[in-house]
Amino acid sequence: MIDRDLTPGERAALAAQVERLREEHRDLDAAIEALRDAGQVDQLQLQRLKKRKLLLRDKLSLLEDQLTPDIIA
């Protein structure tokens, strides 16, 4: 968590990084689906792609949390 407000430049850089990671996440989804559709599934490769996809999801969550201001209720 960031203890200070983000500058507009920092916010734009984080938003760009989030979008890049979302695109990579979608690409991994497509690669996983293509691998499954190919018939002969390399389980090790499939497992690696899924693990990478989960790591991207975690990173995305952290960055999205930084972009969302904390609201004290």
Side-chain angles (χ1 to χ4, degrees):
M1 196 60 70
I2 295 179
D3 291 331
R4 61 180 177 81
D5 290 332
L6 295 172
T7 66
E10 290 170 331
R11 184 170 291 284
L14 276 177
Q17 187 175 7
V18 164
E19 188 54 40
R20 184 184 57 78
L21 290 175
R22 282 182 181 153
E23 184 177 337
E24 188 176 347
H25 191 268
R26 285 189 299 267
D27 290 346
L28 280 172
D29 230 358
I32 289 169
E33 190 63 31
L35 190 62
R36 286 183 181 153
D37 290 345
Q40 285 287 68
V41 179
D42 180 352
Q43 291 298 323
L44 184 58
Q45 184 180 13
L46 187 62
Q47 184 179 4
R48 286 179 181 157
L49 290 173
K50 286 181 176 182
K51 186 173 184 175
R52 174 73 180 147
K53 187 177 164 190
L54 287 173
L55 289 172
L56 280 175
R57 188 74 231 152
D58 290 343
K59 195 170 192 177
L60 270 167
S61 292
L62 288 173
L63 291 175
E64 288 168 343
D65 286 346
Q66 289 178 2
L67 286 172
T68 306
D70 287 336
I71 299 174
I72 300 173

